[in-house]
């Protein structure tokens, strides 16, 4: 993670917007964080249908009522065909994933890897939730025992190491398989994803 000049971001965003105005776009509105106290409304704008479908599948869906009054708190602009210009935009490469916390925009270009969409919002949550709410973001899967005194189990590990497999124990309630928040005061674990 490196700091990025805000004036260069404005130039980059202007160029991305100009590029986006010339092509069809796919828009998906969702939220992240299943706990209503911490949810964030996210709009994903993608030049590729698969980018919007990924957001629709990965993030939490909205009811028709929620969609009718939707106003995004964060916007993800996912333009795989847009290549940044290192000298003009202040980039090290033509591909980039940049979070702007002032504008609440995640700008992704030069890569078709949809994981940048997911990890961009997770990165934002890693900053916002501890700072503003005392919630610990975790890269883990989680399940819960059944009964009158349920206990939560967390499975930490790198992607591909078995977190999903371990958390889908049929004798326990499944919470989620990748990204969670731990609300410290209430000692509650909640899923970030859909």
């Amino acid at each position: 993670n490196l700091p990025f000049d805000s004036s260069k971001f404005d130039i980059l965003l202007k160029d991305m917007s100009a590029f986006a105005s010339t092509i069809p776009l796919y828009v998906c509105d969702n939220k992240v964080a299943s706990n209503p106290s911490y949810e964030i409304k996210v709009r994903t704008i993608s030049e590729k249908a698969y980018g919007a479908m990924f957001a629709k599948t990965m993030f939490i869906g909205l009811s028709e009522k929620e969609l009718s009054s939707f106003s995004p708190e964060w916007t993800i602009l996912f333009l795989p065909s847009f290549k940044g210009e290192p000298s003009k935009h202040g980039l090290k490469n033509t591909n980039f994933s940049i979070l702007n916390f002032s504008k609440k925009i995640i700008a992704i270009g030069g890569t078709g890897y949809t994981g940048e969409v997911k990890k961009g919002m997770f990165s934002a949550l890693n900053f916002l939730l501890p700072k503003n709410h005392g919630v610990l973001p975790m890269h883990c899967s989680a399940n819960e025992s059944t009964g009158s005194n349920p206990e939560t189990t967390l499975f930490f590990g790198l992607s591909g190491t078995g977190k999903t497999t371990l958390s889908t124990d049929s004798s326990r309630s499944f919470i989620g398989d990748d990204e969670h928040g731990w609300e410290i005061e209430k000692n509650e674990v909640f899923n970030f994803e859909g």
Side-chain angles (χ1 to χ4, degrees):
N1 293 327
L2 302 170
F4 194 78
D5 184 274
S6 61
S7 63
K8 291 288 189 183
F9 182 84
D10 291 342
I11 295 167
L12 177 65
L13 187 60
K14 182 179 177 186
D15 288 351
M16 291 179 77
S17 298
F19 175 83
S21 71
T22 66
I23 58 174
L25 296 171
Y26 301 88
V27 178
C28 185
D29 293 334
N30 295 92
K31 61 186 173 184
V32 295
S34 62
N35 185 321
S37 298
Y38 311 112
E39 72 184 30
I40 296 174
K41 296 174 184 157
V42 180
R43 172 166 289 158
T44 304
I45 302 169
S46 175
E47 84 173 88
K48 304 288 186 186
Y50 70 80
M53 288 302 296
F54 179 83
K56 181 178 176 63
T57 302
M58 191 55 55
F59 298 144
I60 299 169
L62 302 170
S63 67
E64 286 189 33
K65 183 179 178 184
E66 289 173 310
L67 283 170
S68 68
S69 62
F70 186 83
S71 179
E73 297 169 72
W74 276 77
T75 300
I76 301 170
L77 186 55
F78 180 64
L79 302 177
S81 298
F82 180 86
K83 306 284 188 214
E85 298 176 39
S87 59
K88 179 180 183 182
H89 299 128
L91 302 166
K92 292 187 179 283
N93 300 296
T94 58
N95 62 318
F96 56 90
S97 181
I98 302 171
L99 280 72
N100 185 310
F101 283 88
S102 299
K103 295 185 182 333
K104 297 183 178 181
I105 294 173
I106 299 171
I108 303 165
T111 176
Y113 176 56
T114 54
E116 297 290 354
V117 171
K118 170 183 170 162
K119 294 301 182 186
M121 262 327 293
F122 186 55
S123 294
L125 292 171
N126 272 277
F127 177 78
L128 296 169
L129 291 180
K131 179 180 181 288
N132 298 337
H133 303 290
V135 171
L136 176 66
M138 304 173 292
H139 180 211
C140 66
S141 63
N143 66 21
E144 185 176 68
S145 62
T146 56
S148 59
N149 190 21
E151 292 183 354
T152 301
T153 301
L154 305 174
F155 301 91
F156 291 91
L158 299 173
S159 296
T161 58
K163 294 185 307 295
T164 300
T165 302
L166 291 169
S167 63
T168 54
D169 181 336
S170 61
S171 68
R172 297 174 65 87
S173 297
F174 179 70
I175 298 173
D177 74 338
D178 199 40
E179 297 175 355
H180 294 84
W182 182 357
E183 208 289 348
I184 307 296
E185 279 187 32
K186 296 178 185 173
N187 198 27
E188 293 177 351
V189 172
F190 61 94
N191 196 355
F192 288 161
E193 303 175 347

